[in-house]
Amino acid sequence: MILSKRWLNDYCEIDIDDKEFAEAITLTGSKVEGWEHEGEELKNIVLGKIAAIERHPDSDHLWVCQVDIGAAEPVQIVTGAQNLKQGDYVPAALHKSVVAGGQKITKGKLRGVPSNGMLCSVAELGLTVNDFPSAIEDGIMTITDECERELGKDIREVLRFNDTKIEFEITSNRSDCLSVTGLAREAAATFGKKFKMPQPIVNKGHGDVNAHLSVNILNPALCYRYIGAVVENVRIKPSPLWLRERLRASGVRPINNIVDITNYVMLELGQPMHAFDLRYLEGNTVNVRNARQGETITTLDGEQRALSEDMLVIADSEKPVAVAGVMGGEYSGIMDDTTTIVFESACFNGYSVRSTAKALGMRTEASSRYEKELNPEGCMLSMMRALELVQMLDAGDVVNGMIDVFPTPKPEVTLPLDADWINRFIGIDVSKEEMARILENIGFTVKGGKLTAPYFRNDIEHMADVSEEIARFYGFDKIPNKKLVGVAEAKLTAEQQFEKLVESTLRAAGYSEISTFSFISPKAYDKIMLAEDSAMRESVVISNPLGEDTSVMRTTAIPSMLEVIARNYSFRTPRAKFYENATTYRSNGLEQLPDERKMLTFGEYGAQSDFYTLKGTAQKLLDVLGIKDVEYVAYTDSATFHPGRTAKIFAGDKELGIIGEIHPNVCKNYKIGTKAYIGYLDSAALFAIKNTDRLYQPLPKFPALTRDLSLVCDKSMEVAALEKAIKRGAGKMLEKVELFDIFEGIQVGLGKKSVAFSLTLRSPERTLTDAEADSAVQKALKALEEIGAQIRS
């Protein structure tokens, strides 16, 4: 919401610095985003009058003007404009002035004739012909008598282009503040000023509205109220300057007096209005109904739109003429030859308006207000104001009477004013009289220990809502700090504790957290060389994507990690390590929501990175989570990873994820000129089997025995398989097994390798004998023989 400060002062006189105003009204709940002064960049531009004009002696299209600016001597300015004559009042940018866009103007010579400035067009002042209809697009702006014409006066003051525009962020529950009067009421209460609500007076007209119009509401659940009024002998012309400049300062383009009146009332009172050309209302009838199957409408923006049966429309006796609460139809607008109009002031169901506007892909100033659920009580005031402005601007002849169909009034909200409850709830000590004063200042009625919320406050339902009103005008900064009573202590859930542990472990290992978008390009699957028939390509497709690069929800976070690695590599970062607990999405068909999974992804590159450092990170993480009996199984079936440096991770039969070096061709696709490594773990699987409870283990009381085994096996046999066989054979006496040597050479045979382990054996109950240790070793050797490993001779 953009508020004109000049307009605000019509209802609440605020003579306060802009910064102080913004800070104070923000503290009372109306958040100011910022403010700007109209025409602030214009410098040294004044009102002048063409005292004399003659052709340039050396040019057919230039004119030499003597411009009277109220000084002792006129200023000579050369111009190429062809629309000037002696006696015209014009904006004169003098030597060392600045026009719109920041362009600086200085004196100089044009074809040898001195020119001490420039005469300005509307565009050079930052305005348009809508702001000043008497101006032309391709010539110098001439100032008419609707402006104050004091020579030498700053042009911003002459054109009333010196308002302050304040931008507010209005929350969705405060539809009343989407109006000048609503914000004026808040400002008056904030600064202790008197609020003056407009009380429109409509003079008696002619005829009877019922002779011109009939109104029927066929769906009272979606249309709470509809008021129609008729104006004959409409005189379409530009609105006066005071009205145009207020619309401009509020961000609305002036069009003509009738359209401007509807926009003015909407901005002033927050109630959208519409004006129909009566000649296009078949049967002079307004029917508020749901659209019928197959109906279409061409809206004011020229687009033909298909309507559905759940959409509310304004129709005549034959066809829809407007989409209720959103936009009028092509022939419902006001044209230059319009003679009779119907003013509409209605209140529609907010949910219906929002769903309709969203379905049609059009959001307007009207729909943005209706969707916040207005109260039908405001319709009459808005209609009265519109008719008053018609008479004030001599825009037409008002027909006597209004048609007011009001099937769905909203009940008043009445609550007890319990000062003790409010004080306890907020934690303050304010008298009941002071509370009543605060509430009455913002439109509440307080009588007999009860309060009634004003009709425009749809957000007031409970005592807690009333307490908020007291608190914000009492001053949030004055409320003492204290611990909330009756509220449970906040603590992390088990899942949140798990995530914090995982993330802190990775940060301790030198990884930095990243946060990437969940939507990617379908081409990302090609870049990671995913198989054409892979289920990972079955993505959830976004119906209205920002572009092809963000058109599907990712099924894997590997492309996102590689994008970050590639970006850092392109920035010549020599080494980097990243992690993300990324959400991925698997499609479950159109009828069901996608399956969302958190996948812990960690990646790195650089001189000190290899498969084993990545494996060390994974093992450290699993150790911290208390996950035991982990196996790393070689994996060669993924085109994304290097076939000889990739492993799947298992805990028993449960697959946890994958770690490995990215395939060189994938690195090439991402323009990564070095080896990159990525780990990919299922967060849900880790959480399901974690065991972070730590049990005390006393120091061993009995000595350990050690044995070394030197084995010969096939070169292709994994060391992990040998370790597993040793543990299975040696049994509970085995405390630790450590690899300490791997050797390949002619001494052990072609296609063979020698692998040496150190075994530590111990009993927690007694000292082991050599015979017991040797027996355990023999059992381990037997288990090794079963998988093809022999003791080295």
Side-chain angles (χ1 to χ4, degrees), residues 422-430 467-468 470-482 484:
I422 293 173
N423 281 327
R424 286 196 308 272
F425 185 74
I426 304 175
I428 57 177
D429 184 14
V430 176
S467 300
E468 182 183 355
I470 301 297
R472 65 192 184 97
F473 287 106
Y474 171 79
F476 289 118
D477 55 327
K478 298 177 184 177
I479 300 174
N481 295 328
K482 71 173 186 176
L484 295 178

Side-chain angles (χ1 to χ4, degrees), residues 10-305:
D10 283 355
Y11 317 111
C12 174
E13 295 181 5
I14 302 290
D15 186 18
I16 296 172
D17 174 76
D18 294 333
K19 186 172 185 288
E20 182 183 346
F21 175 85
E23 289 176 349
I25 202 167
T26 296
L27 285 175
T28 57
S30 304
K31 184 183 177 185
V32 174
E33 289 288 296
W35 67 87
E36 64 173 289
H37 301 120
E38 284 187 320
E40 191 171 21
E41 64 180 341
L42 303 181
K43 306 292 182 186
N44 202 23
I45 305 176
V46 300
L47 179 67
K49 181 179 180 181
I50 306 296
I53 182 169
E54 58 183 23
R55 286 198 175 275
H56 191 288
D58 196 25
S59 173
D60 292 335
H61 70 279
L62 294 178
W63 297 86
V64 180
C65 301
Q66 303 300 322
V67 182
D68 182 0
I69 60 169
E73 296 291 335
V75 176
Q76 179 169 292
I77 296 177
V78 178
T79 180
Q82 304 301 310
N83 66 310
L84 296 179
K85 64 181 184 301
Q86 185 175 347
D88 283 344
Y89 288 83
V90 293
L94 306 179
H95 177 52
K96 293 184 178 181
S97 59
V98 180
V99 298
Q103 183 180 357
K104 297 180 180 179
I105 305 299
T106 57
K107 62 183 180 181
K109 289 186 177 182
L110 288 176
R111 293 200 175 184
V113 176
S115 179
N116 296 302
M118 181 181 79
L119 303 182
C120 300
S121 66
V122 283
E124 287 159 340
L125 297 175
L127 297 164
T128 69
V129 292
N130 294 97
D131 299 314
F132 286 90
S134 60
I136 58 175
E137 294 276 8
D138 56 352
I140 299 302
M141 179 181 185
T142 55
I143 312 297
T144 61
D145 57 6
E146 65 176 344
C147 299
E148 183 181 348
R149 295 196 291 189
E150 180 183 336
L151 297 179
K153 195 169 187 175
D154 190 310
I155 199 65
R156 293 174 60 209
E157 295 183 37
V158 171
L159 302 179
R160 295 179 62 85
F161 189 42
N162 57 350
D163 203 349
T164 298
K165 302 192 294 184
I166 306 171
E167 183 177 359
F168 285 85
E169 178 187 330
I170 306 300
T171 54
S172 58
N173 66 322
R174 291 301 305 274
S175 57
D176 60 298
C177 286
L178 288 172
S179 65
V180 179
T181 53
L183 290 171
R185 185 183 292 106
E186 292 290 306
T190 299
F191 297 102
K193 302 290 185 178
K194 184 178 180 181
F195 171 63
K196 297 174 289 185
M197 186 68 181
Q199 300 297 328
I201 298 174
V202 180
N203 298 321
K204 186 176 180 179
H206 69 282
D208 183 0
V209 69
N210 293 287
H212 298 273
L213 182 68
S214 64
V215 175
N216 303 293
I217 296 179
L218 304 182
N219 189 343
L222 299 185
C223 180
Y224 308 135
R225 188 177 192 180
Y226 193 103
I227 302 177
V230 174
V231 177
E232 290 187 313
N233 304 319
V234 171
R235 296 174 279 280
I236 304 297
K237 55 187 175 182
S239 298
L241 176 62
W242 65 266
L243 195 150
R244 297 199 311 268
E245 59 99 0
R246 289 182 182 184
L247 292 180
R248 181 192 65 234
S250 302
V252 175
R253 178 170 58 94
I255 298 175
N256 60 51
N257 52 356
I258 298 298
V259 176
D260 291 350
I261 285 172
T262 62
N263 287 331
Y264 186 92
V265 172
M266 179 183 68
L267 293 171
E268 182 183 43
L269 302 175
Q271 171 66 47
M273 294 192 65
H274 189 67
F276 294 96
D277 192 327
L278 185 61
R279 59 184 164 169
Y280 295 114
L281 274 179
E282 297 291 339
N284 288 13
T285 300
V286 168
N287 293 313
V288 187
R289 60 170 174 84
N290 288 76
R292 296 175 183 140
Q293 183 68 33
E295 280 189 324
T296 63
I297 186 172
T298 301
T299 47
L300 281 170
D301 56 5
E303 295 288 330
Q304 187 177 47
R305 304 180 189 275

Side-chain angles (χ1 to χ4, degrees), residues 404-416:
D404 184 5
V405 183
F406 196 180
T408 319
K410 289 193 174 182
E412 288 184 337
V413 176
T414 301
L415 298 167

Side-chain angles (χ1 to χ4, degrees), residues 555-567:
T555 59
T556 170
I558 291 176
S560 303
M561 179 62 71
L562 286 171
E563 290 283 358
V564 175
I565 289 176
R567 188 178 303 113

Side-chain angles (χ1 to χ4, degrees), residues 625-637:
L625 295 176
I627 299 175
K628 306 295 184 185
D629 302 323
V630 176
E631 289 187 68
Y632 298 84
V633 180
Y635 180 60
T636 60
D637 294 341

